[in-house]
PDB file of all heavy atoms in Angstrom:
ATOM      1  N   GLU A   1       0.823  -1.208   0.000  1.00 98.00           N
ATOM      2  CA  GLU A   1       0.000   0.000   0.000  1.00 98.00           C
ATOM      3  C   GLU A   1       0.856   1.256   0.000  1.00 98.00           C
ATOM      4  O   GLU A   1       1.893   1.330   0.658  1.00 98.00           O
ATOM      5  CB  GLU A   1      -0.923   0.013   1.219  1.00 98.00           C
ATOM      6  CG  GLU A   1      -1.910   1.165   1.216  1.00 98.00           C
ATOM      7  CD  GLU A   1      -2.932   1.101   2.335  1.00 98.00           C
ATOM      8  OE1 GLU A   1      -2.726   0.313   3.282  1.00 98.00           O
ATOM      9  OE2 GLU A   1      -3.938   1.828   2.251  1.00 98.00           O
ATOM     10  N   ILE A   2       0.393   2.269  -0.741  1.00 98.00           N
ATOM     11  CA  ILE A   2       1.011   3.587  -0.752  1.00 98.00           C
ATOM     12  C   ILE A   2      -0.077   4.623  -0.515  1.00 98.00           C
ATOM     13  O   ILE A   2      -1.216   4.440  -0.935  1.00 98.00           O
ATOM     14  CB  ILE A   2       1.749   3.860  -2.085  1.00 98.00           C
ATOM     15  CG1 ILE A   2       2.500   5.190  -2.029  1.00 98.00           C
ATOM     16  CG2 ILE A   2       0.786   3.827  -3.268  1.00 98.00           C
ATOM     17  CD1 ILE A   2       3.396   5.442  -3.232  1.00 98.00           C
ATOM     18  N   LYS A   3       0.267   5.697   0.192  1.00 97.00           N
ATOM     19  CA  LYS A   3      -0.668   6.806   0.406  1.00 97.00           C
ATOM     20  C   LYS A   3      -0.016   8.068  -0.152  1.00 97.00           C
ATOM     21  O   LYS A   3       1.105   8.404   0.229  1.00 97.00           O
ATOM     22  CB  LYS A   3      -0.995   6.977   1.891  1.00 97.00           C
ATOM     23  CG  LYS A   3      -1.764   5.798   2.478  1.00 97.00           C
ATOM     24  CD  LYS A   3      -2.156   6.044   3.916  1.00 97.00           C
ATOM     25  CE  LYS A   3      -2.913   4.852   4.511  1.00 97.00           C
ATOM     26  NZ  LYS A   3      -4.219   4.636   3.867  1.00 97.00           N
ATOM     27  N   VAL A   4      -0.712   8.727  -1.050  1.00 97.00           N
ATOM     28  CA  VAL A   4      -0.187   9.932  -1.688  1.00 97.00           C
ATOM     29  C   VAL A   4      -1.082  11.116  -1.334  1.00 97.00           C
ATOM     30  O   VAL A   4      -2.239  10.945  -0.948  1.00 97.00           O
ATOM     31  CB  VAL A   4      -0.103   9.755  -3.219  1.00 97.00           C
ATOM     32  CG1 VAL A   4       0.960   8.729  -3.588  1.00 97.00           C
ATOM     33  CG2 VAL A   4      -1.454   9.350  -3.806  1.00 97.00           C
ATOM     34  N   PRO A   5      -0.552  12.360  -1.449  1.00 97.00           N
ATOM     35  CA  PRO A   5      -1.324  13.540  -1.048  1.00 97.00           C
ATOM     36  C   PRO A   5      -2.576  13.745  -1.895  1.00 97.00           C
ATOM     37  O   PRO A   5      -2.651  13.328  -3.050  1.00 97.00           O
ATOM     38  CB  PRO A   5      -0.341  14.697  -1.250  1.00 97.00           C
ATOM     39  CG  PRO A   5       1.018  14.071  -1.247  1.00 97.00           C
ATOM     40  CD  PRO A   5       0.834  12.708  -1.835  1.00 97.00           C
ATOM     41  N   VAL A   6      -3.535  14.434  -1.306  1.00 96.00           N
ATOM     42  CA  VAL A   6      -4.750  14.813  -2.028  1.00 96.00           C
ATOM     43  C   VAL A   6      -4.454  15.967  -2.984  1.00 96.00           C
ATOM     44  O   VAL A   6      -5.109  16.104  -4.019  1.00 96.00           O
ATOM     45  CB  VAL A   6      -5.861  15.189  -1.025  1.00 96.00           C
ATOM     46  CG1 VAL A   6      -7.068  15.787  -1.735  1.00 96.00           C
ATOM     47  CG2 VAL A   6      -6.296  13.971  -0.220  1.00 96.00           C
ATOM     48  N   VAL A   7      -3.477  16.808  -2.662  1.00 96.00           N
ATOM     49  CA  VAL A   7      -3.143  17.982  -3.463  1.00 96.00           C
ATOM     50  C   VAL A   7      -1.795  17.760  -4.149  1.00 96.00           C
ATOM     51  O   VAL A   7      -0.830  17.303  -3.514  1.00 96.00           O
ATOM     52  CB  VAL A   7      -3.088  19.247  -2.591  1.00 96.00           C
ATOM     53  CG1 VAL A   7      -2.661  20.464  -3.416  1.00 96.00           C
ATOM     54  CG2 VAL A   7      -4.436  19.507  -1.941  1.00 96.00           C
ATOM     55  N   GLU A   8      -1.734  18.059  -5.435  1.00 95.00           N
ATOM     56  CA  GLU A   8      -0.490  17.962  -6.196  1.00 95.00           C
ATOM     57  C   GLU A   8      -0.314  19.234  -7.027  1.00 95.00           C
ATOM     58  O   GLU A   8      -1.257  20.018  -7.200  1.00 95.00           O
ATOM     59  CB  GLU A   8      -0.529  16.748  -7.148  1.00 95.00           C
ATOM     60  CG  GLU A   8      -0.637  15.397  -6.469  1.00 95.00           C
ATOM     61  CD  GLU A   8       0.700  14.839  -6.009  1.00 95.00           C
ATOM     62  OE1 GLU A   8       1.745  15.513  -6.235  1.00 95.00           O
ATOM     63  OE2 GLU A   8       0.715  13.730  -5.428  1.00 95.00           O
ATOM     64  N   ARG A   9       0.874  19.443  -7.554  1.00 94.00           N
ATOM     65  CA  ARG A   9       1.100  20.552  -8.469  1.00 94.00           C
ATOM     66  C   ARG A   9       0.280  20.328  -9.738  1.00 94.00           C
ATOM     67  O   ARG A   9       0.228  19.219 -10.274  1.00 94.00           O
ATOM     68  CB  ARG A   9       2.583  20.677  -8.805  1.00 94.00           C
ATOM     69  CG  ARG A   9       3.456  21.000  -7.604  1.00 94.00           C
ATOM     70  CD  ARG A   9       4.907  21.171  -7.998  1.00 94.00           C
ATOM     71  NE  ARG A   9       5.739  21.342  -6.832  1.00 94.00           N
ATOM     72  CZ  ARG A   9       5.927  22.493  -6.187  1.00 94.00           C
ATOM     73  NH1 ARG A   9       5.328  23.593  -6.647  1.00 94.00           N
ATOM     74  NH2 ARG A   9       6.702  22.553  -5.136  1.00 94.00           N
ATOM     75  N   THR A  10      -0.320  21.388 -10.237  1.00 92.00           N
ATOM     76  CA  THR A  10      -1.196  21.284 -11.405  1.00 92.00           C
ATOM     77  C   THR A  10      -0.469  20.694 -12.601  1.00 92.00           C
ATOM     78  O   THR A  10      -1.049  19.930 -13.388  1.00 92.00           O
ATOM     79  CB  THR A  10      -1.766  22.664 -11.751  1.00 92.00           C
ATOM     80  OG1 THR A  10      -2.463  23.184 -10.603  1.00 92.00           O
ATOM     81  CG2 THR A  10      -2.723  22.593 -12.931  1.00 92.00           C
ATOM     82  N   GLU A  11       0.807  21.043 -12.769  1.00 92.00           N
ATOM     83  CA  GLU A  11       1.556  20.573 -13.936  1.00 92.00           C
ATOM     84  C   GLU A  11       1.625  19.054 -13.999  1.00 92.00           C
ATOM     85  O   GLU A  11       1.739  18.475 -15.090  1.00 92.00           O
ATOM     86  CB  GLU A  11       2.966  21.153 -13.942  1.00 92.00           C
ATOM     87  CG  GLU A  11       3.827  20.705 -12.771  1.00 92.00           C
ATOM     88  CD  GLU A  11       5.241  21.259 -12.834  1.00 92.00           C
ATOM     89  OE1 GLU A  11       5.779  21.354 -13.946  1.00 92.00           O
ATOM     90  OE2 GLU A  11       5.788  21.577 -11.768  1.00 92.00           O
ATOM     91  N   LEU A  12       1.551  18.375 -12.851  1.00 92.00           N
ATOM     92  CA  LEU A  12       1.585  16.914 -12.850  1.00 92.00           C
ATOM     93  C   LEU A  12       0.450  16.360 -13.702  1.00 92.00           C
ATOM     94  O   LEU A  12       0.649  15.447 -14.522  1.00 92.00           O
ATOM     95  CB  LEU A  12       1.487  16.379 -11.422  1.00 92.00           C
ATOM     96  CG  LEU A  12       1.315  14.859 -11.286  1.00 92.00           C
ATOM     97  CD1 LEU A  12       2.557  14.127 -11.790  1.00 92.00           C
ATOM     98  CD2 LEU A  12       1.016  14.473  -9.844  1.00 92.00           C
ATOM     99  N   PHE A  13      -0.747  16.894 -13.537  1.00 89.00           N
ATOM    100  CA  PHE A  13      -1.898  16.368 -14.268  1.00 89.00           C
ATOM    101  C   PHE A  13      -1.951  16.902 -15.694  1.00 89.00           C
ATOM    102  O   PHE A  13      -2.389  16.195 -16.605  1.00 89.00           O
ATOM    103  CB  PHE A  13      -3.182  16.705 -13.508  1.00 89.00           C
ATOM    104  CG  PHE A  13      -3.191  16.160 -12.109  1.00 89.00           C
ATOM    105  CD1 PHE A  13      -3.100  17.006 -11.017  1.00 89.00           C
ATOM    106  CD2 PHE A  13      -3.225  14.796 -11.885  1.00 89.00           C
ATOM    107  CE1 PHE A  13      -3.090  16.503  -9.725  1.00 89.00           C
ATOM    108  CE2 PHE A  13      -3.210  14.276 -10.594  1.00 89.00           C
ATOM    109  CZ  PHE A  13      -3.134  15.137  -9.514  1.00 89.00           C
ATOM    110  N   ALA A  14      -1.497  18.138 -15.910  1.00 85.00           N
ATOM    111  CA  ALA A  14      -1.461  18.672 -17.279  1.00 85.00           C
ATOM    112  C   ALA A  14      -0.516  17.845 -18.133  1.00 85.00           C
ATOM    113  O   ALA A  14      -0.800  17.568 -19.305  1.00 85.00           O
ATOM    114  CB  ALA A  14      -1.027  20.136 -17.255  1.00 85.00           C
ATOM    115  N   ARG A  15       0.618  17.417 -17.566  1.00 83.00           N
ATOM    116  CA  ARG A  15       1.595  16.637 -18.322  1.00 83.00           C
ATOM    117  C   ARG A  15       1.181  15.187 -18.478  1.00 83.00           C
ATOM    118  O   ARG A  15       1.451  14.561 -19.503  1.00 83.00           O
ATOM    119  CB  ARG A  15       2.965  16.712 -17.633  1.00 83.00           C
ATOM    120  CG  ARG A  15       3.619  18.080 -17.700  1.00 83.00           C
ATOM    121  CD  ARG A  15       4.881  18.131 -16.866  1.00 83.00           C
ATOM    122  NE  ARG A  15       5.893  17.194 -17.341  1.00 83.00           N
ATOM    123  CZ  ARG A  15       7.057  16.998 -16.722  1.00 83.00           C
ATOM    124  NH1 ARG A  15       7.341  17.661 -15.611  1.00 83.00           N
ATOM    125  NH2 ARG A  15       7.929  16.143 -17.211  1.00 83.00           N
ATOM    126  N   SER A  16       0.530  14.616 -17.466  1.00 77.00           N
ATOM    127  CA  SER A  16       0.221  13.183 -17.503  1.00 77.00           C
ATOM    128  C   SER A  16      -1.114  12.892 -18.180  1.00 77.00           C
ATOM    129  O   SER A  16      -1.193  12.053 -19.082  1.00 77.00           O
ATOM    130  CB  SER A  16       0.212  12.615 -16.084  1.00 77.00           C
ATOM    131  OG  SER A  16      -0.786  13.242 -15.286  1.00 77.00           O
ATOM    132  N   ILE A  17      -2.159  13.586 -17.769  1.00 69.00           N
ATOM    133  CA  ILE A  17      -3.488  13.314 -18.308  1.00 69.00           C
ATOM    134  C   ILE A  17      -3.617  13.842 -19.727  1.00 69.00           C
ATOM    135  O   ILE A  17      -4.243  13.219 -20.583  1.00 69.00           O
ATOM    136  CB  ILE A  17      -4.569  13.938 -17.391  1.00 69.00           C
ATOM    137  CG1 ILE A  17      -4.528  13.280 -16.010  1.00 69.00           C
ATOM    138  CG2 ILE A  17      -5.946  13.779 -18.003  1.00 69.00           C
ATOM    139  CD1 ILE A  17      -5.461  13.929 -15.006  1.00 69.00           C
ATOM    140  N   GLY A  18      -3.021  14.997 -19.984  1.00 63.00           N
ATOM    141  CA  GLY A  18      -3.109  15.600 -21.313  1.00 63.00           C
ATOM    142  C   GLY A  18      -3.880  16.899 -21.264  1.00 63.00           C
ATOM    143  O   GLY A  18      -5.010  16.943 -20.768  1.00 63.00           O
ATOM    144  N   GLU A  19      -3.282  17.984 -21.753  1.00 57.00           N
ATOM    145  CA  GLU A  19      -3.911  19.298 -21.665  1.00 57.00           C
ATOM    146  C   GLU A  19      -5.191  19.387 -22.489  1.00 57.00           C
ATOM    147  O   GLU A  19      -6.037  20.245 -22.239  1.00 57.00           O
ATOM    148  CB  GLU A  19      -2.918  20.375 -22.110  1.00 57.00           C
ATOM    149  CG  GLU A  19      -1.735  20.511 -21.154  1.00 57.00           C
ATOM    150  CD  GLU A  19      -0.839  21.680 -21.514  1.00 57.00           C
ATOM    151  OE1 GLU A  19      -1.180  22.398 -22.474  1.00 57.00           O
ATOM    152  OE2 GLU A  19       0.181  21.863 -20.848  1.00 57.00           O
ATOM    153  N   ALA A  20      -5.354  18.513 -23.495  1.00 53.00           N
ATOM    154  CA  ALA A  20      -6.543  18.573 -24.350  1.00 53.00           C
ATOM    155  C   ALA A  20      -7.687  17.715 -23.828  1.00 53.00           C
ATOM    156  O   ALA A  20      -8.734  17.638 -24.456  1.00 53.00           O
ATOM    157  CB  ALA A  20      -6.181  18.136 -25.771  1.00 53.00           C
ATOM    158  N   THR A  21      -7.510  17.062 -22.692  1.00 57.00           N
ATOM    159  CA  THR A  21      -8.583  16.221 -22.159  1.00 57.00           C
ATOM    160  C   THR A  21      -9.613  17.071 -21.430  1.00 57.00           C
ATOM    161  O   THR A  21      -9.318  18.168 -20.939  1.00 57.00           O
ATOM    162  CB  THR A  21      -8.018  15.177 -21.178  1.00 57.00           C
ATOM    163  OG1 THR A  21      -7.381  15.859 -20.087  1.00 57.00           O
ATOM    164  CG2 THR A  21      -7.004  14.284 -21.868  1.00 57.00           C
ATOM    165  N   ASP A  22     -10.837  16.544 -21.323  1.00 59.00           N
ATOM    166  CA  ASP A  22     -11.885  17.254 -20.599  1.00 59.00           C
ATOM    167  C   ASP A  22     -11.504  17.456 -19.140  1.00 59.00           C
ATOM    168  O   ASP A  22     -11.863  18.464 -18.525  1.00 59.00           O
ATOM    169  CB  ASP A  22     -13.198  16.469 -20.676  1.00 59.00           C
ATOM    170  CG  ASP A  22     -13.868  16.605 -22.030  1.00 59.00           C
ATOM    171  OD1 ASP A  22     -13.372  17.389 -22.855  1.00 59.00           O
ATOM    172  OD2 ASP A  22     -14.869  15.908 -22.263  1.00 59.00           O
ATOM    173  N   ILE A  23     -10.790  16.482 -18.562  1.00 61.00           N
ATOM    174  CA  ILE A  23     -10.429  16.579 -17.151  1.00 61.00           C
ATOM    175  C   ILE A  23      -9.605  17.836 -16.902  1.00 61.00           C
ATOM    176  O   ILE A  23      -9.891  18.629 -16.007  1.00 61.00           O
ATOM    177  CB  ILE A  23      -9.663  15.325 -16.701  1.00 61.00           C
ATOM    178  CG1 ILE A  23     -10.565  14.093 -16.764  1.00 61.00           C
ATOM    179  CG2 ILE A  23      -9.126  15.500 -15.276  1.00 61.00           C
ATOM    180  CD1 ILE A  23      -9.852  12.799 -16.480  1.00 61.00           C
ATOM    181  N   VAL A  24      -8.562  18.026 -17.695  1.00 62.00           N
ATOM    182  CA  VAL A  24      -7.680  19.179 -17.498  1.00 62.00           C
ATOM    183  C   VAL A  24      -8.369  20.466 -17.937  1.00 62.00           C
ATOM    184  O   VAL A  24      -8.257  21.513 -17.285  1.00 62.00           O
ATOM    185  CB  VAL A  24      -6.354  18.981 -18.251  1.00 62.00           C
ATOM    186  CG1 VAL A  24      -5.507  20.249 -18.216  1.00 62.00           C
ATOM    187  CG2 VAL A  24      -5.576  17.810 -17.649  1.00 62.00           C
ATOM    188  N   GLU A  25      -9.103  20.431 -19.043  1.00 62.00           N
ATOM    189  CA  GLU A  25      -9.716  21.649 -19.565  1.00 62.00           C
ATOM    190  C   GLU A  25     -10.878  22.148 -18.721  1.00 62.00           C
ATOM    191  O   GLU A  25     -11.065  23.348 -18.544  1.00 62.00           O
ATOM    192  CB  GLU A  25     -10.215  21.399 -20.995  1.00 62.00           C
ATOM    193  CG  GLU A  25      -9.116  21.318 -22.040  1.00 62.00           C
ATOM    194  CD  GLU A  25      -9.678  21.196 -23.443  1.00 62.00           C
ATOM    195  OE1 GLU A  25     -10.861  20.856 -23.580  1.00 62.00           O
ATOM    196  OE2 GLU A  25      -8.937  21.452 -24.395  1.00 62.00           O
ATOM    197  N   LYS A  26     -11.707  21.226 -18.182  1.00 68.00           N
ATOM    198  CA  LYS A  26     -12.970  21.655 -17.589  1.00 68.00           C
ATOM    199  C   LYS A  26     -13.260  21.112 -16.194  1.00 68.00           C
ATOM    200  O   LYS A  26     -14.132  21.646 -15.514  1.00 68.00           O
ATOM    201  CB  LYS A  26     -14.136  21.230 -18.510  1.00 68.00           C
ATOM    202  CG  LYS A  26     -14.064  21.811 -19.908  1.00 68.00           C
ATOM    203  CD  LYS A  26     -15.333  21.539 -20.691  1.00 68.00           C
ATOM    204  CE  LYS A  26     -15.569  20.055 -20.901  1.00 68.00           C
ATOM    205  NZ  LYS A  26     -16.754  19.790 -21.749  1.00 68.00           N
ATOM    206  N   GLU A  27     -12.566  20.064 -15.735  1.00 84.00           N
ATOM    207  CA  GLU A  27     -13.046  19.347 -14.563  1.00 84.00           C
ATOM    208  C   GLU A  27     -12.156  19.435 -13.332  1.00 84.00           C
ATOM    209  O   GLU A  27     -12.568  18.998 -12.265  1.00 84.00           O
ATOM    210  CB  GLU A  27     -13.253  17.866 -14.922  1.00 84.00           C
ATOM    211  CG  GLU A  27     -14.314  17.645 -15.987  1.00 84.00           C
ATOM    212  CD  GLU A  27     -14.431  16.191 -16.414  1.00 84.00           C
ATOM    213  OE1 GLU A  27     -13.694  15.356 -15.852  1.00 84.00           O
ATOM    214  OE2 GLU A  27     -15.229  15.902 -17.307  1.00 84.00           O
ATOM    215  N   MET A  28     -10.958  19.984 -13.423  1.00 89.00           N
ATOM    216  CA  MET A  28     -10.062  19.965 -12.273  1.00 89.00           C
ATOM    217  C   MET A  28     -10.382  21.103 -11.301  1.00 89.00           C
ATOM    218  O   MET A  28     -10.729  22.206 -11.707  1.00 89.00           O
ATOM    219  CB  MET A  28      -8.603  20.046 -12.709  1.00 89.00           C
ATOM    220  CG  MET A  28      -8.143  18.846 -13.487  1.00 89.00           C
ATOM    221  SD  MET A  28      -6.349  18.584 -13.501  1.00 89.00           S
ATOM    222  CE  MET A  28      -5.721  20.194 -13.948  1.00 89.00           C
ATOM    223  N   TYR A  29     -10.245  20.804 -10.018  1.00 91.00           N
ATOM    224  CA  TYR A  29     -10.322  21.817  -8.972  1.00 91.00           C
ATOM    225  C   TYR A  29      -8.919  22.379  -8.763  1.00 91.00           C
ATOM    226  O   TYR A  29      -8.081  21.758  -8.101  1.00 91.00           O
ATOM    227  CB  TYR A  29     -10.854  21.212  -7.678  1.00 91.00           C
ATOM    228  CG  TYR A  29     -12.354  21.014  -7.664  1.00 91.00           C
ATOM    229  CD1 TYR A  29     -12.916  19.821  -8.105  1.00 91.00           C
ATOM    230  CD2 TYR A  29     -13.203  22.014  -7.206  1.00 91.00           C
ATOM    231  CE1 TYR A  29     -14.293  19.630  -8.090  1.00 91.00           C
ATOM    232  CE2 TYR A  29     -14.580  21.830  -7.188  1.00 91.00           C
ATOM    233  CZ  TYR A  29     -15.113  20.643  -7.631  1.00 91.00           C
ATOM    234  OH  TYR A  29     -16.476  20.470  -7.618  1.00 91.00           O
ATOM    235  N   THR A  30      -8.658  23.533  -9.351  1.00 92.00           N
ATOM    236  CA  THR A  30      -7.325  24.127  -9.343  1.00 92.00           C
ATOM    237  C   THR A  30      -7.367  25.486  -8.650  1.00 92.00           C
ATOM    238  O   THR A  30      -8.322  26.249  -8.831  1.00 92.00           O
ATOM    239  CB  THR A  30      -6.805  24.277 -10.785  1.00 92.00           C
ATOM    240  OG1 THR A  30      -6.692  22.975 -11.367  1.00 92.00           O
ATOM    241  CG2 THR A  30      -5.445  24.955 -10.824  1.00 92.00           C
ATOM    242  N   PHE A  31      -6.349  25.770  -7.867  1.00 92.00           N
ATOM    243  CA  PHE A  31      -6.287  27.044  -7.141  1.00 92.00           C
ATOM    244  C   PHE A  31      -4.820  27.420  -6.936  1.00 92.00           C
ATOM    245  O   PHE A  31      -3.920  26.596  -7.127  1.00 92.00           O
ATOM    246  CB  PHE A  31      -6.992  26.922  -5.788  1.00 92.00           C
ATOM    247  CG  PHE A  31      -6.408  25.856  -4.886  1.00 92.00           C
ATOM    248  CD1 PHE A  31      -5.458  26.179  -3.923  1.00 92.00           C
ATOM    249  CD2 PHE A  31      -6.798  24.527  -5.010  1.00 92.00           C
ATOM    250  CE1 PHE A  31      -4.915  25.201  -3.100  1.00 92.00           C
ATOM    251  CE2 PHE A  31      -6.256  23.534  -4.193  1.00 92.00           C
ATOM    252  CZ  PHE A  31      -5.318  23.874  -3.238  1.00 92.00           C
ATOM    253  N   ARG A  32      -4.587  28.659  -6.529  1.00 94.00           N
ATOM    254  CA  ARG A  32      -3.229  29.109  -6.225  1.00 94.00           C
ATOM    255  C   ARG A  32      -3.081  29.277  -4.722  1.00 94.00           C
ATOM    256  O   ARG A  32      -3.967  29.824  -4.065  1.00 94.00           O
ATOM    257  CB  ARG A  32      -2.903  30.417  -6.955  1.00 94.00           C
ATOM    258  CG  ARG A  32      -2.807  30.219  -8.469  1.00 94.00           C
ATOM    259  CD  ARG A  32      -2.123  31.372  -9.167  1.00 94.00           C
ATOM    260  NE  ARG A  32      -2.000  31.079 -10.596  1.00 94.00           N
ATOM    261  CZ  ARG A  32      -0.991  30.421 -11.146  1.00 94.00           C
ATOM    262  NH1 ARG A  32       0.020  29.988 -10.368  1.00 94.00           N
ATOM    263  NH2 ARG A  32      -0.963  30.196 -12.444  1.00 94.00           N
ATOM    264  N   ASP A  33      -1.939  28.809  -4.198  1.00 93.00           N
ATOM    265  CA  ASP A  33      -1.696  28.973  -2.774  1.00 93.00           C
ATOM    266  C   ASP A  33      -1.101  30.354  -2.507  1.00 93.00           C
ATOM    267  O   ASP A  33      -0.989  31.193  -3.410  1.00 93.00           O
ATOM    268  CB  ASP A  33      -0.807  27.850  -2.246  1.00 93.00           C
ATOM    269  CG  ASP A  33       0.604  27.887  -2.821  1.00 93.00           C
ATOM    270  OD1 ASP A  33       0.952  28.863  -3.523  1.00 93.00           O
ATOM    271  OD2 ASP A  33       1.375  26.941  -2.554  1.00 93.00           O
TER     272      ASP A  33
END
C-alpha cells in the first residue's frame, strides 16, 4: 500500500493526463496557494 497527497502541483496532471482532455480543460479543482 502507498498513500499519496490529495493535493499535487497542477503541472503533474497537465503533463500526464493531457492538456486537451476534458479533465484538465474543464473538470479539475485548481487554485493558487
Side-chain angles (χ1 to χ4, degrees):
E1 186 173 14
I2 185 172
K3 294 184 181 294
V4 292
V6 171
V7 177
E8 297 276 359
R9 297 182 186 277
T10 303
E11 64 178 323
L12 172 66
F13 302 110
R15 291 173 62 184
S16 61
I17 297 174
E19 293 186 3
T21 60
D22 284 354
I23 295 174
V24 172
E25 286 185 343
K26 301 189 297 184
E27 297 175 1
M28 294 202 311
Y29 282 90
T30 297
F31 59 95
R32 292 196 177 272
D33 66 8

